[in-house]
Amino acid sequence: MESYLIKDTTREQREEIVRRSLSSGGDGCEGCSGCGGLDPFDLYQPYIDGKKEIAEITREFNAKYVHGR
């Protein structure tokens, strides 16, 4: 299993990881607006920039949008 951690990836690899995960046909974004209309690519920009791990962004999203905090 390959690592998706910032320390183990380049910016280009992180961009591709996000692009693949958000592409249609998989478990990625289906454009349902369940996130309140956020652009999912923008949501994961801090990961691409090397500022936050995917898990941290997802945890924050879940706390705000799923749990209503």
Side-chain angles (χ1 to χ4, degrees):
M1 167 136 181
E2 79 183 275
S3 174
Y4 298 112
L5 296 175
I6 291 169
K7 69 180 183 82
D8 297 329
T9 56
T10 65
R11 178 184 175 84
E12 292 77 19
Q13 289 170 320
R14 292 189 298 272
E15 215 169 272
E16 181 60 25
I17 290 165
V18 170
R19 188 172 286 110
R20 270 187 314 190
S21 69
L22 297 176
S23 68
S24 61
D27 291 341
C29 177
E30 297 175 0
C32 70
S33 297
C35 63
L38 293 175
D39 181 333
F41 201 78
D42 288 344
L43 181 67
Y44 286 97
Q45 191 64 48
Y47 170 68
I48 294 169
D49 294 340
K51 297 177 181 177
K52 289 184 179 181
E53 295 291 352
I54 291 175
E56 183 180 358
I57 294 168
T58 301
R59 208 170 23 255
E60 290 171 356
F61 172 83
N62 285 339
K64 186 173 182 181
Y65 291 98
V66 175
H67 302 293
R69 293 183 191 166

